[in-house]
Amino acid sequence: MISQLTRDERALAMVLCVLLTLFGATLGLVGRDDVLGWHGALLALSGMVLLIVIMSKIYDPDPNPDRVTKYYDDPTKVGVIVSMMWLVFATFVGDWVAWLLVYPEATFDAGWSSFGRLRPVHTTGVIFGFGGNALIATSFHVLQRTSRARLAGNLSPWIVVIGFNLFCLLAVTGYMFGITASKEYAEPEWYADLFLVVIWVVYFVLYLRTLARRQEPHIYVANWYFLAFILVVAILHIINNLAVPVSLGHAKSYSLFSGVQDAMTQWWYGHNAVAFFLTAGFLGMLYYYLPRRAGRPIFSYRMSIISFWGITFLYMWAGSHHLHYTALPHWVQNLGMTFSIVLVVPSWASAGNALLTLNGAWEKVRDDATLRFMFVAAVFYGLSTFEGSFMAIRPVNSLSHYTDWTVGHVHAGALGWVAMITFGAFYTLVPMLWNKERMYSSRLIEAHFWLALAGTVIYVFSMWNSGIVQGLMWRAYAENGTLAYSFIDSVDAMRPYYFARAVGGFLFFLGGVIGLYNIWMTTRMPAVEKPPVYDLPPVVAAEPAE
Amino acid sequence: MEFDHNFFVGFAKSYGLFYMMAFFFGTVVYAYWPSNQKKFDRAAKSILDEDEGTQR
Ligand code: HEM
Ligand code: HEM
């Protein structure tokens, strides 16, 4: 991989490593015994390790100059593997968290393993570690193929992949140390947030510069989704994390917002994280890998355009449905509710578009577990968006809010949609990337499929049950007008559902382990013999100035 | 005219509607503009006839 960089690029990479080390060392020094100091040390250490790795290859010969006529897939390869490793780690933690709700003593009396710390480790690990790496990896692949252009840079993709994973590492280790900015899905503190801003800007610029080199006049719709994901996440991240640190030597910071403005900003962020991290980017995946795998063009390209603009514009206003019955002005709640209901239209247009693309290829869906993953993903996408729009209706939300129904909805989306579409995309992508005829084992894909599906269904059904039971118990009144149940009664009633969820989660986790193994073994199979092909059209853009 | 909370709420509630509607119509017109059809068809098919080459 390093041999694909020219000597100049290697030198530049070493400069960047030194900068990272210095940045880490500075944080370490000013942070001293604060957790900030530990994170500084972590960054400095990472910088040094990277430096040594590059240094050991510095005198390797320059890469073949015709590399600019090829697509650049090394960063995608790393992204795919790392993404699956995050999946295994973070669903393991997720299942641990699930067991904690059945057996609270399973923290083994350590601080770092308490529910409040492991929970964000799980959410950050799956959303950013697994989902984020999957999005970065597939976006690089789709971008190059649909533009018929090589990535506009050899070093910048690595800055994105490595930098993003360092951010995830800072986040996850920070929670175990007890750091939190107290904003869900935005828990990392100010220094990690600033670090991510730099990485994300590099990502955005790289994407735009590659698009500018494209040799296709029209930008394929998948790229619109990826671009919306990158751009909007940048905006969300920066605004929601505006904060003032206690001092430059401390990890703790305080948000610039307070009171109901803080709540609204947070859930404007939170819901759009769902929209642009967990939806838009994965729709980009869907619009490329599903037609490719099915061997059929998308059913309606026009519909994909209209639903793109529908989703981007409507989601922006829906965040207040997380704050029904709060101090938020009534009309803002109504606004969020209305937009959420309308949102079902473009969401179903996308899900329908995917399913109609498969219409006529059902025998492929039946025989090919990879395509079946994507089919199931589209179905769950339809289900969870319908459910979401329903839960956004204020009276419905009075029943669902604070209950496990929300958690069920989350995982119908996260397991059923986000994870399934990713598995389908990876199993399509991996043989292409490593130039293999097929995946290592189609039986293992099949096993992964059934484990993932069973796990998801068990998870979602037990949470629906427990959510409704909770909601009803909390609003049940006795004859004399007092509450019929105490809170602890409802906690006790949850036990069987939590048990079932944890079992379902374990099946899902197991599927992920199998997936990682299968992908790893595929990379080690002999490559297919192919005459050397120039996979880019011969018109070659100038070498990037990096 | 005072630029207070009520002003912005009023603005958001009225002009907000019109700009969203205009945007929606713009999108639909773009998507259904007859001469765009060829471009879209080509784009939809283009991803299928790619020669999936490899790097090495
Ligand atoms: C093995 C599979 C999984 C298990 C067992 C699991 C378990 C859990 C548990 C126990 C919680 C805490 C619920 C609570 O506080 O009551 C949770 C929250 C969450 N999980 Fe998972 N999870 C799994 C996979 C995933 C995946 C793959 C994703 C995303 C792609 C995901 C996203 C989330 C999110 C966003 C939350 C926060 C929900 C909220 O605040 O309402 N999970 N998970
Ligand atoms: C039309 C689309 C959707 C709408 C209108 C919607 C609506 C909602 C509503 C009303 C809630 C409950 C808020 C509360 O009571 O606190 C919620 C929670 C949530 N939804 Fe959705 N949803 C949609 C799609 C999705 C999808 C596709 C995903 C995941 C991939 C998702 C992930 C989440 C998450 C993570 C939460 C929990 C937030 C928290 O931590 O409290 N949603 N959604």
Side-chain angles (χ1 to χ4, degrees), chain A residues 70-71 73-74 77 145 148 216 218 220 288 291-292 296-297 301-302 305 309 313 331 339 435 530, chain B residues 9 13 19-20 23 27 31-32 37 39-40 42-44 46-50 52-56:
Chain A
K70 312 256 168 97
Y71 293 127
D73 286 335
D74 286 351
K77 291 180 179 174
R145 299 313 190 276
R148 301 192 202 276
E216 284 282 324
H218 178 74
Y220 185 69
Y288 183 80
R292 280 221 66 163
R296 304 157 64 87
Y301 196 83
R302 284 171 172 155
I305 293 175
W309 290 112
F313 266 70
W331 71 269
F339 274 87
N435 193 20
K530 259 200 213 163
Chain B
V9 170
K13 284 181 176 174
Y19 108 84
M20 296 283 280
F23 195 84
T27 312
Y32 281 91
Q37 162 117 53
K39 192 165 77 182
F40 294 157
R42 193 183 119 76
S46 70
I47 60 164
L48 298 178
D49 53 39
E50 269 164 40
E52 185 54 55
T54 48
Q55 274 205 79
R56 60 189 76 87

